[in-house]
Amino acid sequence: MAGKAVARAVNQYFLGTCMVSSKQNAAKVRIPRLVLDEHIHMYFKEYENIYANDPQKLCKTGDVVLVKVLPQKLTRLITHEVVEVVYPLGDMTDPITGKKIVASRYREHIDEDTKLYGRKDSAFDYSKAPPRGRLENIRDFTHKKLYLKYYDDPENPQKDTI
């Protein structure tokens, strides 16, 4: 009995990736979990998609977010709530040191290497890179309301459909 209560308390928070959602004030979150295959005794990753309440529009597509289970369902689909954006899509930050990283190296170390060996013309300059969100309404339409496409008509194209 006590083990079930502890497991229920532990499974209140989940880490997932925000996906494209057609719901207003809700984010679709993809949560990975490991499932044991009894036949070969191996774990395989499976994904579960949930809808989380996000009235402040904290997360955008691609962000890693922390969600928690709501005590009562808001609707038939919305069963969770977005707590915070852990890692926004784009610039990666080391969670322990708080420094910016590129792949597996700190940006500071990359800058030291360029000072030692010189900068190439083709090298990317991270200090001059614009922040995320500069391409809204140009190439990034994740902030717009989407709806499902119900028909195909070349005479009447439907914008912002999935």
Side-chain angles (χ1 to χ4, degrees):
M1 285 294 241
K4 288 184 180 179
V6 170
R8 194 175 299 124
V10 169
N11 291 333
Q12 294 293 319
Y13 291 90
F14 298 101
L15 202 64
T17 305
C18 189
M19 307 293 286
V20 176
S21 174
S22 60
K23 300 282 181 195
Q24 291 249 337
N25 297 332
K28 187 176 182 181
V29 181
R30 185 180 189 199
I31 298 174
R33 63 187 180 114
L34 294 174
V35 177
L36 177 67
D37 186 351
E38 293 288 338
H39 184 66
I40 57 176
H41 300 290
M42 283 182 64
Y43 285 95
F44 293 97
K45 190 182 282 191
E46 288 186 358
Y47 295 97
E48 180 181 354
N49 292 327
I50 60 163
Y51 285 95
N53 187 29
D54 187 19
Q56 293 96 13
K57 306 232 187 270
L58 294 174
C59 58
K60 296 181 83 175
T61 303
D63 292 345
V64 176
V65 294
L66 182 69
V67 295
K68 74 173 185 175
V69 178
L70 290 172
Q72 292 181 347
K73 290 182 178 182
L74 284 182
T75 64
R76 182 176 57 88
L77 290 175
I78 301 173
T79 57
H80 294 72
E81 180 181 19
V82 175
V83 177
E84 68 173 310
V85 176
V86 180
Y87 298 114
L89 182 71
D91 291 341
M92 293 187 289
T93 307
D94 183 20
I96 297 170
T97 61
K99 297 177 182 177
K100 297 288 185 186
I101 60 172
V102 177
S104 62
R105 300 185 64 205
Y106 290 112
R107 285 192 190 170
E108 298 171 354
H109 297 173
I110 294 171
D111 291 340
E112 290 173 4
D113 288 349
T114 55
K115 286 179 186 174
L116 285 173
Y117 301 113
R119 180 176 293 278
K120 284 186 172 180
D121 293 335
S122 63
F124 186 77
D125 190 7
Y126 290 98
S127 62
K128 295 179 182 175
R132 180 179 183 210
R134 72 179 178 90
L135 291 176
E136 280 187 3
N137 287 327
I138 298 170
R139 285 188 154 175
D140 180 18
F141 299 102
T142 56
H143 65 285
K144 281 190 155 187
K145 178 185 174 262
L146 296 174
Y147 62 92
L148 297 174
K149 191 175 196 177
Y150 292 106
Y151 60 89
D152 283 325
D153 186 9
E155 306 263 335
N156 183 13
Q158 302 174 42
K159 296 181 180 178
D160 306 325
T161 56
I162 55 172

